Tab-separated table of all heavy atoms in Angstrom:
chain	number	residue	atom	x	y	z
B	1	ILE	N	179.088	-25.544	-128.184
B	1	ILE	CA	178.320	-24.869	-127.125
B	1	ILE	C	177.302	-23.918	-127.748
B	1	ILE	O	176.135	-23.860	-127.319
B	1	ILE	CB	179.267	-24.112	-126.172
B	1	ILE	CG1	180.168	-25.095	-125.408
B	1	ILE	CG2	178.468	-23.261	-125.197
B	1	ILE	CD1	179.423	-26.082	-124.545
B	2	GLU	N	177.709	-23.182	-128.770
B	2	GLU	CA	176.781	-22.248	-129.429
B	2	GLU	C	175.607	-23.007	-130.048
B	2	GLU	O	174.448	-22.595	-129.928
B	2	GLU	CB	177.526	-21.448	-130.492
B	2	GLU	CG	176.660	-20.390	-131.168
B	2	GLU	CD	177.448	-19.500	-132.110
B	2	GLU	OE1	178.672	-19.712	-132.258
B	2	GLU	OE2	176.834	-18.590	-132.703
B	3	ARG	N	175.895	-24.135	-130.690
B	3	ARG	CA	174.836	-24.931	-131.314
B	3	ARG	C	173.854	-25.453	-130.268
B	3	ARG	O	172.635	-25.404	-130.463
B	3	ARG	CB	175.473	-26.102	-132.066
B	3	ARG	CG	174.479	-26.942	-132.871
B	3	ARG	CD	175.145	-28.210	-133.383
B	3	ARG	NE	176.475	-27.956	-133.892
B	3	ARG	CZ	177.390	-28.903	-134.090
B	3	ARG	NH1	177.103	-30.164	-133.815
B	3	ARG	NH2	178.581	-28.596	-134.552
B	4	VAL	N	174.392	-25.933	-129.155
B	4	VAL	CA	173.529	-26.474	-128.096
B	4	VAL	C	172.630	-25.379	-127.526
B	4	VAL	O	171.432	-25.602	-127.286
B	4	VAL	CB	174.383	-27.109	-126.985
B	4	VAL	CG1	173.537	-27.413	-125.749
B	4	VAL	CG2	175.045	-28.386	-127.488
B	5	LEU	N	173.179	-24.182	-127.325
B	5	LEU	CA	172.388	-23.087	-126.759
B	5	LEU	C	171.312	-22.607	-127.733
B	5	LEU	O	170.223	-22.205	-127.320
B	5	LEU	CB	173.307	-21.928	-126.368
B	5	LEU	CG	174.289	-22.193	-125.221
B	5	LEU	CD1	175.153	-20.963	-124.966
B	5	LEU	CD2	173.554	-22.594	-123.943
B	6	ILE	N	171.619	-22.635	-129.031
B	6	ILE	CA	170.635	-22.203	-130.036
B	6	ILE	C	169.500	-23.219	-130.159
B	6	ILE	O	168.318	-22.861	-130.215
B	6	ILE	CB	171.322	-21.997	-131.403
B	6	ILE	CG1	172.256	-20.779	-131.343
B	6	ILE	CG2	170.281	-21.810	-132.509
B	6	ILE	CD1	173.093	-20.591	-132.591
B	7	LEU	N	169.846	-24.506	-130.191
B	7	LEU	CA	168.849	-25.549	-130.426
B	7	LEU	C	168.227	-26.100	-129.152
B	7	LEU	O	167.228	-26.826	-129.221
B	7	LEU	CB	169.496	-26.712	-131.203
B	7	LEU	CG	170.074	-26.362	-132.577
B	7	LEU	CD1	170.725	-27.590	-133.185
B	7	LEU	CD2	169.001	-25.809	-133.497
B	8	GLY	N	168.818	-25.782	-128.006
B	8	GLY	CA	168.367	-26.379	-126.748
B	8	GLY	C	166.994	-25.901	-126.317
B	8	GLY	O	166.463	-24.890	-126.789
B	9	GLY	N	166.431	-26.638	-125.377
B	9	GLY	CA	165.110	-26.293	-124.851
B	9	GLY	C	165.205	-25.345	-123.676
B	9	GLY	O	166.155	-24.566	-123.544
B	10	ASP	N	164.187	-25.447	-122.801
B	10	ASP	CA	164.099	-24.540	-121.655
B	10	ASP	C	164.690	-25.123	-120.373
B	10	ASP	O	164.572	-24.529	-119.308
B	10	ASP	CB	162.622	-24.177	-121.399
B	10	ASP	CG	162.015	-23.442	-122.592
B	10	ASP	OD1	162.772	-22.708	-123.256
B	10	ASP	OD2	160.810	-23.611	-122.839
B	11	ARG	N	165.294	-26.297	-120.480
B	11	ARG	CA	165.869	-26.905	-119.282
B	11	ARG	C	167.002	-26.047	-118.729
B	11	ARG	O	167.763	-25.446	-119.493
B	11	ARG	CB	166.375	-28.310	-119.591
B	11	ARG	CG	165.264	-29.337	-119.816
B	11	ARG	CD	165.837	-30.708	-120.168
B	11	ARG	NE	166.430	-30.723	-121.497
B	11	ARG	CZ	166.996	-31.801	-122.037
B	11	ARG	NH1	167.060	-32.930	-121.350
B	11	ARG	NH2	167.508	-31.747	-123.260
B	12	GLU	N	167.134	-26.013	-117.415
B	12	GLU	CA	168.178	-25.190	-116.798
B	12	GLU	C	169.565	-25.731	-117.093
B	12	GLU	O	170.529	-24.982	-117.220
B	12	GLU	CB	167.965	-25.116	-115.278
B	12	GLU	CG	166.725	-24.325	-114.869
B	12	GLU	CD	166.638	-24.158	-113.360
B	12	GLU	OE1	167.595	-24.586	-112.665
B	12	GLU	OE2	165.637	-23.616	-112.888
B	13	GLU	N	169.677	-27.065	-117.161
B	13	GLU	CA	170.979	-27.679	-117.380
B	13	GLU	C	171.084	-28.253	-118.788
B	13	GLU	O	170.092	-28.710	-119.366
B	13	GLU	CB	171.231	-28.802	-116.361
B	13	GLU	CG	171.516	-28.305	-114.959
B	13	GLU	CD	172.011	-29.435	-114.057
B	13	GLU	OE1	171.694	-30.610	-114.347
B	13	GLU	OE2	172.738	-29.150	-113.090
B	14	ILE	N	172.299	-28.223	-119.334
B	14	ILE	CA	172.580	-28.883	-120.605
B	14	ILE	C	172.816	-30.361	-120.327
B	14	ILE	O	173.702	-30.729	-119.554
B	14	ILE	CB	173.821	-28.263	-121.282
B	14	ILE	CG1	173.559	-26.794	-121.633
B	14	ILE	CG2	174.203	-29.061	-122.523
B	14	ILE	CD1	174.774	-26.063	-122.153
B	15	ALA	N	172.016	-31.211	-120.961
B	15	ALA	CA	172.133	-32.656	-120.747
B	15	ALA	C	173.076	-33.279	-121.769
B	15	ALA	O	173.332	-32.706	-122.830
B	15	ALA	CB	170.756	-33.317	-120.846
B	16	ALA	N	173.573	-34.464	-121.447
B	16	ALA	CA	174.521	-35.141	-122.326
B	16	ALA	C	173.909	-35.444	-123.687
B	16	ALA	O	174.588	-35.396	-124.716
B	16	ALA	CB	175.029	-36.420	-121.665
B	17	ASP	N	172.592	-35.752	-123.717
B	17	ASP	CA	171.983	-36.120	-124.990
B	17	ASP	C	171.778	-34.936	-125.935
B	17	ASP	O	171.353	-35.102	-127.076
B	17	ASP	CB	170.654	-36.838	-124.760
B	17	ASP	CG	169.640	-35.985	-124.005
B	17	ASP	OD1	169.884	-34.771	-123.832
B	17	ASP	OD2	168.598	-36.537	-123.582
B	18	GLU	N	172.075	-33.705	-125.471
B	18	GLU	CA	172.007	-32.533	-126.343
B	18	GLU	C	173.299	-32.323	-127.130
B	18	GLU	O	173.334	-31.528	-128.067
B	18	GLU	CB	171.727	-31.270	-125.525
B	18	GLU	CG	170.374	-31.246	-124.841
B	18	GLU	CD	170.158	-29.947	-124.094
B	18	GLU	OE1	169.995	-28.910	-124.763
B	18	GLU	OE2	170.184	-29.968	-122.849
B	19	LEU	N	174.353	-33.015	-126.731
B	19	LEU	CA	175.640	-32.842	-127.379
B	19	LEU	C	175.692	-33.638	-128.676
B	19	LEU	O	175.084	-34.700	-128.783
B	19	LEU	CB	176.767	-33.281	-126.449
B	19	LEU	CG	176.872	-32.508	-125.129
B	19	LEU	CD1	177.922	-33.128	-124.230
B	19	LEU	CD2	177.208	-31.045	-125.397
B	20	PRO	N	176.409	-33.150	-129.682
B	20	PRO	CA	176.475	-33.868	-130.962
B	20	PRO	C	177.202	-35.199	-130.823
B	20	PRO	O	178.127	-35.338	-130.015
B	20	PRO	CB	177.271	-32.911	-131.859
B	20	PRO	CG	178.064	-32.073	-130.914
B	20	PRO	CD	177.202	-31.910	-129.698
B	21	ASN	N	176.744	-36.168	-131.584
B	21	ASN	CA	177.364	-37.497	-131.602
B	21	ASN	C	177.338	-38.198	-130.252
B	21	ASN	O	178.138	-39.087	-129.990
B	21	ASN	CB	178.816	-37.424	-132.095
B	21	ASN	CG	178.905	-36.860	-133.486
B	21	ASN	OD1	178.066	-37.155	-134.331
B	21	ASN	ND2	179.900	-36.034	-133.736
B	22	SER	N	176.428	-37.754	-129.361
B	22	SER	CA	176.331	-38.406	-128.051
B	22	SER	C	175.224	-39.455	-128.118
B	22	SER	O	174.136	-39.270	-127.588
B	22	SER	CB	176.042	-37.372	-126.955
B	22	SER	OG	174.865	-36.653	-127.250
B	23	GLU	N	175.507	-40.550	-128.804
B	23	GLU	CA	174.510	-41.599	-128.959
B	23	GLU	C	174.238	-42.265	-127.621
B	23	GLU	O	175.148	-42.419	-126.800
B	23	GLU	CB	175.010	-42.638	-129.965
B	23	GLU	CG	175.211	-42.065	-131.365
B	23	GLU	CD	175.733	-43.112	-132.320
B	23	GLU	OE1	175.932	-44.258	-131.874
B	23	GLU	OE2	175.943	-42.776	-133.497
B	24	PRO	N	173.034	-42.671	-127.366
B	24	PRO	CA	172.729	-43.336	-126.106
B	24	PRO	C	173.587	-44.580	-125.924
B	24	PRO	O	173.853	-45.302	-126.880
B	24	PRO	CB	171.248	-43.718	-126.239
B	24	PRO	CG	170.721	-42.917	-127.370
B	24	PRO	CD	171.858	-42.584	-128.246
B	25	GLU	N	174.034	-44.805	-124.714
B	25	GLU	CA	174.900	-45.941	-124.449
B	25	GLU	C	174.115	-47.219	-124.208
B	25	GLU	O	174.682	-48.296	-124.141
B	25	GLU	CB	175.791	-45.660	-123.236
B	25	GLU	CG	176.779	-44.513	-123.479
B	25	GLU	CD	177.702	-44.321	-122.304
B	25	GLU	OE1	177.514	-45.043	-121.296
B	25	GLU	OE2	178.592	-43.488	-122.364
B	26	THR	N	172.801	-47.150	-124.038
B	26	THR	CA	171.992	-48.342	-123.757
B	26	THR	C	170.802	-48.404	-124.688
B	26	THR	O	170.312	-47.389	-125.176
B	26	THR	CB	171.478	-48.316	-122.300
B	26	THR	OG1	170.705	-47.149	-122.114
B	26	THR	CG2	172.632	-48.341	-121.316
B	27	ARG	N	170.331	-49.645	-124.928
B	27	ARG	CA	169.113	-49.830	-125.693
B	27	ARG	C	167.916	-49.670	-124.757
B	27	ARG	O	168.069	-49.473	-123.549
B	27	ARG	CB	169.117	-51.218	-126.338
B	27	ARG	CG	170.299	-51.430	-127.306
B	27	ARG	CD	170.155	-52.770	-127.996
B	27	ARG	NE	171.352	-53.102	-128.740
B	27	ARG	CZ	171.610	-52.710	-129.976
B	27	ARG	NH1	170.745	-51.918	-130.586
B	27	ARG	NH2	172.715	-53.080	-130.588
B	28	ASP	N	166.738	-49.795	-125.329
B	28	ASP	CA	165.528	-49.623	-124.524
B	28	ASP	C	165.475	-50.607	-123.369
B	28	ASP	O	165.022	-50.286	-122.281
B	28	ASP	CB	164.293	-49.789	-125.401
B	28	ASP	CG	164.157	-48.660	-126.405
B	28	ASP	OD1	164.771	-47.601	-126.151
B	28	ASP	OD2	163.460	-48.835	-127.408
B	29	GLU	N	165.967	-51.859	-123.598
B	29	GLU	CA	165.882	-52.857	-122.537
B	29	GLU	C	167.046	-52.770	-121.562
B	29	GLU	O	167.216	-53.635	-120.710
B	29	GLU	CB	165.816	-54.261	-123.153
B	29	GLU	CG	167.010	-54.616	-124.031
B	29	GLU	CD	166.745	-54.252	-125.485
B	29	GLU	OE1	166.044	-53.244	-125.717
B	29	GLU	OE2	167.234	-54.973	-126.370
B	30	GLY	N	167.873	-51.686	-121.672
B	30	GLY	CA	168.926	-51.486	-120.695
B	30	GLY	C	170.243	-52.140	-121.049
B	30	GLY	O	171.196	-52.074	-120.279
B	31	ARG	N	170.347	-52.805	-122.211
B	31	ARG	CA	171.594	-53.446	-122.584
B	31	ARG	C	172.536	-52.436	-123.228
B	31	ARG	O	172.116	-51.468	-123.851
B	31	ARG	CB	171.307	-54.571	-123.585
B	31	ARG	CG	170.525	-55.714	-123.013
B	31	ARG	CD	169.975	-56.591	-124.116
B	31	ARG	NE	171.016	-56.936	-125.092
B	31	ARG	CZ	170.764	-57.376	-126.309
B	31	ARG	NH1	169.504	-57.516	-126.709
B	31	ARG	NH2	171.750	-57.682	-127.128
B	32	MET	N	173.863	-52.687	-123.090
B	32	MET	CA	174.861	-51.828	-123.730
B	32	MET	C	174.860	-52.038	-125.225
B	32	MET	O	174.608	-53.135	-125.716
B	32	MET	CB	176.271	-52.132	-123.196
B	32	MET	CG	176.569	-51.544	-121.832
B	32	MET	SD	178.326	-51.662	-121.455
B	32	MET	CE	179.020	-50.623	-122.726
B	33	VAL	N	175.169	-50.977	-125.962
B	33	VAL	CA	175.337	-51.082	-127.401
B	33	VAL	C	176.699	-51.686	-127.681
B	33	VAL	O	177.722	-51.191	-127.218
B	33	VAL	CB	175.228	-49.688	-128.068
B	33	VAL	CG1	175.532	-49.790	-129.549
B	33	VAL	CG2	173.855	-49.104	-127.832
B	34	LEU	N	176.760	-52.770	-128.426
B	34	LEU	CA	178.009	-53.456	-128.741
B	34	LEU	C	178.394	-53.126	-130.174
B	34	LEU	O	177.636	-53.403	-131.109
B	34	LEU	CB	177.842	-54.972	-128.579
B	34	LEU	CG	179.115	-55.825	-128.682
B	34	LEU	CD1	180.070	-55.482	-127.553
B	34	LEU	CD2	178.760	-57.298	-128.648
B	35	THR	N	179.578	-52.515	-130.356
B	35	THR	CA	180.014	-52.168	-131.705
B	35	THR	C	180.435	-53.418	-132.461
B	35	THR	O	180.780	-54.449	-131.868
B	35	THR	CB	181.217	-51.200	-131.651
B	35	THR	OG1	182.329	-51.869	-131.048
B	35	THR	CG2	180.876	-49.962	-130.836
């Protein structure tokens, strides 16, 4: 939480993509990432 608040922008809400290791679940074309 401290890291997110220090590095975060001016948005009112903390978004999921600001959290560490929160890789996007979809590619650009909308497909799921398959491990």
Side-chain angles (χ1 to χ4, degrees):
I1 295 299
E2 184 174 1
R3 185 190 317 163
V4 168
L5 294 179
I6 291 173
L7 300 177
D10 298 328
R11 288 178 290 180
E12 291 186 5
E13 287 191 335
I14 296 173
D17 60 11
E18 295 182 70
L19 299 174
N21 300 321
S22 57
E23 297 179 0
E25 295 184 357
T26 59
R27 299 185 190 275
D28 292 340
E29 59 268 34
R31 294 165 49 199
M32 282 192 64
V33 175
L34 188 64
T35 64

